[in-house]
């Protein structure tokens, strides 16, 4: 579809009502909002019947701000609700996962029955290594089926997984292992990215130098590269798992048993260990997966194109889809592994019906050109979803026209690591959709947009998104830091959960998300705090001071721009500066992750500060985005800004 045509569509400010054809086939229940609104807690209790309970709960919500429990006196086993139940009820031959490797032609199909066997084997192996209820197990793995077997095996034992995205550095891994005192690590020798092996085990070895309490490391052999080995600590997966029995009798645990910790960036340098408990989390991921994606387990082939190292992977590659008993794609590679048409090949080969991904990926696919998807038969698709960042209307329209054939509804789903599951989204078959709008909160969830004083804004106005009542999959807190939990989320607007996002209601009262209002950046859908990156920069011996901002970027949503003042000892020539800039970018990549590598580093003799000494980030953001600078009278030295603006032109480094 041409640019001009997209512009014309947008000018009409069009809302897309679900087509009659889609509505007729959808599992749509138009009374769903009224049912839930009548008594949200009772409605959620009915949704909890989606789980396989060992003993049914007699309680629902207990709320003592900021602490909630849901269904607390029930008992269950998470992995039984996800896997065993399907085999027991005769769905064992249904495919759970079509795993698709980075290299074309490499694939593996796993039925629910096979999945159960693998999970049991892995659970038995973990028992042999000493894993017990409540233990923390770090998972640092590529997108291979063993990652899912491990997550399900860990929760089967009542233990707690902490999946750390494979792109994180050794230092980032170590800090996460230490923060939650993980005693076990599951990893692989390496991962494949566009055909090349990239190592993982060396980062684990490096991390464990500072984590002496880790007693066992289980290593999947994926790339067959040489790795160092610590006898007694390191175990090959094939040595320990393969010979285990594929039977494991699962025990039931209380509903509020902690299932997992997921580290995410907040506004300080130290990432927060957001933890989730069993029944509330599972109830909401299962319910939202069913309603938001209108799933039909017998016929759908669902593809959540995300990494299991993030919350989207946990909730919508593992737990939500499995409880619903659907067939999924798990794809190891990048969008262009084997060529820029790889995604469309996968969709047409496996007849994918539901595709869920991040706007940043859609923008990349869009940049590669609509001719690429146009060469494939994508008519199996019936629903599209997006998550992770605001989607710009152009990308939404491109997705709708070129991927969805102007036929598939798009669900723009807003949620967070902390919310555990989707909070705001249209419901396909029921709600209409608008390019760029998350529309409204789901049944059983109450959100509002409030102004600075906490008062709800009217239609046509903007403010902050808050959630006004507890929900089942809400985080139960920050690992080891209850005070920070209360302070971060529940203090800004008393009694309400403050998400950190700006939002507006349009003239129709529909909800639009506007991005973070705090110091959290969103780079390609990955959360990073400005302080975290500043901290990494000042950790380099050449750096005196650093200020980091997220500047808008056409492809990645935001990009990191760092303003750095150097210590005097660094040379003054152009070459000295260019060298130090490259060194600093590499240093940040090594300290946190390549995701955190600044797009630009601007060297400046000073940073603009208010009279009270606070760095003026808003102003730096204006500089980074080349906007006019507005009121700078509170600067200690206004000339600094002009100087920085001048430097922008000379020291801009291009994207990698
Ligand atoms: C942003 C990802 C606009 C938001 C599931 C939120 C979005 C942060 C959307 C959470 C969306 C997520 N529209 N913004 N549909 N979805 N966000 O914890 O700023 O990695 O606070 O969870 O992503 O990121 P997280």
């Amino acid at each position: 579809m041409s640019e001009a045509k997209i512009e014309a569509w947008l000018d009409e400010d069009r809302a897309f009502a679900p087509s009659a054809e889609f509505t007729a086939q959808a599992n749509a229940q138009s009374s769903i909002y009224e049912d839930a609104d009548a008594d949200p807690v009772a409605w959620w209790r009915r949704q909890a019947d989606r789980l396989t309970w060992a003993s049914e709960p007699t309680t629902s919500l207990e709320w003592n701000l900021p602490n909630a429990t849901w269904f607390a006196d029930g008992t269950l086993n998470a992995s039984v609700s996800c896997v065993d139940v399907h085999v027991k009820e005769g769905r064992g031959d249904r495919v759970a996962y079509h795993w698709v490797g980075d290299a074309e032609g490499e694939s593996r199909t796993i039925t629910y029955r096979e999945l159960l066997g693998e999970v049991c084997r892995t659970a038995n192996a973990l028992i042999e290594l000493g894993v017990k209820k409540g233990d923390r197990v770090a998972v640092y793995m590529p997108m291979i089926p063993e990652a899912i077997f491990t997550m399900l095996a860990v929760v089967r034992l009542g233990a707690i997984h902490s999946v750390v995205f494979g792109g994180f550095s050794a230092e980032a891994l170590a800090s996460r292992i230490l923060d939650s005192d993980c005693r076990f690590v599951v990893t692989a020798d390496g991962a494949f990215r566009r055909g090349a092996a990239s190592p993982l085990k060396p980062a684990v070895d490096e991390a464990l130098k500072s984590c002496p309490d880790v007693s066992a490391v289980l290593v999947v052999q994926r790339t067959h590269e040489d790795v160092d080995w610590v006898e007694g600590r390191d175990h090959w997966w094939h040595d320990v798992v393969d010979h285990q029995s594929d039977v494991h009798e699962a025990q039931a645990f209380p509903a509020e048993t902690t299932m997992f910790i997921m580290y995410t960036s907040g506004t300080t340098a130290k990432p927060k260990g957001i933890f989730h408990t069993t029944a509330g989390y599972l109830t909401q991921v299962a319910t939202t997966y069913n309603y938001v994606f209108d799933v039909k387990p017998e016929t759908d082939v669902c593809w959540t194109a995300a990494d299991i190292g993030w919350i989207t992977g946990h909730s919508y590659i593992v737990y939500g889809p499995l409880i619903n008993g659907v067939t999924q794609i798990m794809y190891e590679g990048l969008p262009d592994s084997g060529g820029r048409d790889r995604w469309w090949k996968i969709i047409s080969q496996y007849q994918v019906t539901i595709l869920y991904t991040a706007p940043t990926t859609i923008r990349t696919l869009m940049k590669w050109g609509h001719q690429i998807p146009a060469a494939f038969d994508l008519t199996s698709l019936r629903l599209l979803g997006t998550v992770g960042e605001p989607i710009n209307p152009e990308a939404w329209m491109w997705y709708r026209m070129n991927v969805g054939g102007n036929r598939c509804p798009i669900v723009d789903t807003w949620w967070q690591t902390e919310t555990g599951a989707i909070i705001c989204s249209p419901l396909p078959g029921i709600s209409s959709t608008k390019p760029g709008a998350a529309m409204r909160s789901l049944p059983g969830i109450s959100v509002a947009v409030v102004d600075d004083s906490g008062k709800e804004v009217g239609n046509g106005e903007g403010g902050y998104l808050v959630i006004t009542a507890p929900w089942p999959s809400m985080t139960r807190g920050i690992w080891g830091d209850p005070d920070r939990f209360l302070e971060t989320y529940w203090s800004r607007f008393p009694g309400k959960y403050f998400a950190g996002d700006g939002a507006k209601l349009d003239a129709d009262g529909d909800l639009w998300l506007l991005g973070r209002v705090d110091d959290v950046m969103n780079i390609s859908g990955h959360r990073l705090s400005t302080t975290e990156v500043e901290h990494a920069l000042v950790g380099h011996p050449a750096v005196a001071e650093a200020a980091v901002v997220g500047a808008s970027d056409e492809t990645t949503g935001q990009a990191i721009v760092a303003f750095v003042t150097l210590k005097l000892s660094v040379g003054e020539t152009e070459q000295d500066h260019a060298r130090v800039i490259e060194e600093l970018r590499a240093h940040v990549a090594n300290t946190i992750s390549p995701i955190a590598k600044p797009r630009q580093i601007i060297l400046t003799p000073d940073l603009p500060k208010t009279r009270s000494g606070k760095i003026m980030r808003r102003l730096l953001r204006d500089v980074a985005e080349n906007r006019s600078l507005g009121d700078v009278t509170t600067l200690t030295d206004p000339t600094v800004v002009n100087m920085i603006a001048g430097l922008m032109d000379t020291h801009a480094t291009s994207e990698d």
Side-chain angles (χ1 to χ4, degrees):
M1 183 178 197
S2 73
E3 294 277 319
K5 215 160 158 199
I6 290 181
E7 287 300 322
W9 277 80
L10 292 176
D11 281 349
E12 289 172 35
D13 191 18
R14 184 185 292 252
F16 294 85
S19 68
E21 189 194 354
F22 185 90
T23 309
Q25 289 169 13
N27 301 314
Q29 306 166 25
S30 49
S31 64
I32 189 171
Y33 290 101
E34 292 87 79
D35 291 352
D37 286 348
D39 185 346
V41 173
W43 188 81
W44 281 117
R45 173 61 193 87
R46 292 198 295 282
Q47 303 306 320
D49 289 340
R50 296 168 185 274
L51 310 185
T52 310
W53 294 95
S55 55
E56 296 261 341
T58 63
T59 58
S60 292
L61 169 67
E62 310 266 337
W63 179 225
N64 182 10
L65 188 145
N67 300 310
T69 64
W70 285 84
F71 320 122
D73 66 347
T75 65
L76 76 170
N77 184 290
S79 108
V80 170
S81 281
C82 290
V83 191
D84 304 42
V85 63
H86 301 300
V87 179
K88 193 161 159 233
E89 294 179 0
R91 297 183 289 276
D93 292 331
R94 186 180 294 166
V95 172
Y97 292 100
H98 290 292
W99 176 79
V100 181
D102 178 76
E104 276 189 66
E106 198 187 3
S107 65
R108 178 176 173 190
T109 289
I110 303 161
T111 64
Y112 275 89
R113 190 187 322 285
E114 288 163 342
L115 181 62
L116 176 60
E118 297 287 3
V119 171
C120 289
R121 257 194 287 277
T122 312
N124 288 326
L126 293 177
I127 292 171
E128 193 175 301
L129 294 177
V131 176
K132 287 191 274 310
K133 178 177 180 325
D135 284 345
R136 272 79 65 202
V137 179
V139 179
Y140 184 66
M141 286 179 99
M143 283 287 285
I144 54 176
E146 288 82 353
I148 292 178
F149 306 158
T150 302
M151 291 166 74
L152 291 165
V154 167
V155 299
R156 192 174 184 91
L157 301 179
I160 299 167
H161 57 70
S162 167
V163 181
V164 179
F165 174 58
F168 275 121
S169 66
E171 195 174 323
L173 174 63
S175 76
R176 284 158 178 77
I177 290 174
L178 288 170
D179 185 73
S180 50
D181 194 14
C182 294
R183 300 294 171 99
F184 305 89
V185 179
V186 184
T187 187
D189 48 1
F192 284 115
R193 290 164 64 84
R194 289 194 203 93
S198 84
L200 282 172
K201 174 75 165 49
V204 174
D205 292 334
E206 179 63 29
L208 295 193
K209 285 184 189 156
S210 55
C211 309
D213 293 335
V214 170
S215 60
V217 180
L218 186 58
V219 190
V220 177
Q221 195 164 31
R222 173 74 189 119
T223 58
H224 294 260
E225 302 273 295
D226 281 343
V227 289
D228 289 340
W229 209 250
V230 175
E231 282 310 324
R233 186 196 73 182
D234 298 350
H235 308 268
W236 284 115
W237 179 282
H238 50 261
D239 288 341
V240 183
V241 181
D242 288 0
H243 71 268
Q244 300 288 339
S245 157
D246 60 2
V247 177
H248 171 267
E249 208 52 56
Q251 197 189 324
F253 300 106
E256 284 291 336
T257 301
T258 300
M259 262 179 83
F260 67 85
I261 306 169
M262 170 101 258
Y263 284 87
T264 188
S265 294
T267 52
T268 64
K270 188 170 174 259
K272 301 176 284 200
I274 297 298
F275 68 93
H276 285 281
T277 59
T278 308
Y281 171 78
L282 291 180
T283 296
Q284 194 169 332
V285 294
T287 308
T288 51
Y289 197 67
N290 182 342
Y291 289 138
V292 174
F293 297 95
D294 178 48
V295 288
K296 302 184 198 312
E298 297 79 19
T299 48
D300 273 325
V301 179
C302 308
W303 184 11
T304 295
D307 194 284
I308 48 137
W310 307 111
I311 192 72
T312 304
H314 282 49
S315 300
Y316 300 113
I317 296 178
V318 185
Y319 297 109
L322 287 180
I323 294 176
N324 281 283
V326 302
T327 295
Q328 291 182 80
I329 302 292
M330 180 193 201
Y331 174 49
E332 182 188 30
L334 298 168
D336 57 351
S337 295
R340 290 181 168 181
D341 57 1
R342 188 65 192 285
W343 266 39
W344 320 118
K345 276 190 184 158
I346 295 172
I347 290 171
S348 58
Q349 181 186 346
Y350 289 93
Q351 295 284 291
V352 172
T353 57
I354 298 172
L355 177 65
Y356 187 36
T357 191
T360 194
T361 313
I362 298 167
R363 287 191 293 265
T364 302
L365 297 165
M366 183 170 149
K367 223 165 47 181
W368 292 344
H370 70 274
Q371 299 82 350
I372 304 181
F376 290 83
D377 178 7
L378 305 179
T379 51
S380 58
L381 287 170
R382 60 181 200 89
L383 184 75
L384 305 174
T386 79
V387 57
E389 39 173 337
I391 180 161
N392 47 317
E394 289 77 6
W396 194 100
M397 287 301 294
W398 189 88
Y399 198 31
R400 177 162 175 112
M401 294 299 157
N402 296 287
V403 182
N406 194 19
R407 192 184 67 247
C408 309
I410 297 179
V411 288
D412 177 354
T413 65
W414 179 90
W415 58 294
Q416 306 178 299
T417 305
E418 295 87 338
T419 70
I422 299 170
I423 294 289
C424 299
S425 168
L427 284 187
I430 300 175
S431 343
S432 52
T433 58
K434 293 177 185 175
M439 303 303 285
R440 62 178 292 183
S441 57
L442 291 179
I445 307 277
S446 330
V447 303
V449 180
V450 298
D451 64 16
D452 266 318
S453 66
K455 200 165 120 308
E456 287 196 28
V457 306
N459 290 358
E461 290 172 1
Y464 308 99
L465 184 71
V466 293
I467 310 179
T468 55
W471 63 102
S473 65
M474 62 188 266
T475 174
R476 300 302 192 256
I478 300 174
W479 190 263
D481 203 345
D483 295 344
R484 192 173 170 201
F485 179 52
L486 181 66
E487 158 69 28
T488 309
Y489 302 103
W490 301 95
S491 304
R492 174 77 175 78
F493 301 108
K496 301 185 174 90
Y497 173 89
F498 173 48
D501 279 58
K504 70 167 190 204
L505 298 175
D506 68 13
D508 304 326
D510 292 323
L511 180 72
W512 296 68
L513 273 307
L514 302 176
R516 302 289 304 195
V517 292
D518 53 13
D519 290 333
V520 173
M521 300 176 288
N522 193 325
I523 317 296
S524 298
H526 303 315
R527 266 169 78 168
L528 287 164
S529 82
T530 51
T531 350
E532 206 174 349
V533 180
E534 285 165 4
H535 202 75
L537 284 166
V538 295
H540 187 282
V543 175
E545 206 175 14
V548 164
V549 296
S552 23
D553 183 280
E554 247 184 41
T555 307
T556 58
Q558 283 191 309
I560 301 176
V561 177
F563 297 83
V564 169
T565 62
L566 295 175
K567 289 183 181 154
L568 289 177
S569 55
V570 176
E572 281 302 318
T573 69
E574 278 279 316
Q575 289 92 324
D576 292 334
H577 286 177
R579 180 182 45 77
V580 91
I581 284 173
E582 271 327 297
E583 213 178 288
L584 291 177
R585 295 178 75 229
H587 173 74
V588 175
N590 290 334
T591 314
I592 305 172
S593 161
I595 304 165
K597 203 192 253 189
R599 182 187 67 187
Q600 285 170 282
I601 292 183
I602 293 142
L603 302 180
T604 163
D606 215 338
L607 290 172
K609 292 191 186 135
T610 61
R611 288 188 213 291
S612 62
K614 275 187 84 169
I615 292 173
M616 299 187 75
R617 283 175 206 282
R618 179 193 55 77
L619 196 127
L620 289 177
R621 200 171 304 128
D622 286 347
V623 173
E625 292 177 348
N626 292 322
R627 270 197 299 274
S628 72
L629 296 177
D631 176 19
V632 293
T633 49
T634 50
L635 281 176
T636 44
D637 181 3
T639 54
V640 170
V641 179
N642 297 332
M643 201 168 46
I644 289 173
L647 284 169
M648 282 293 290
D649 302 329
T650 44
H651 283 298
T653 59
S654 64
E655 229 181 296
D656 268 0

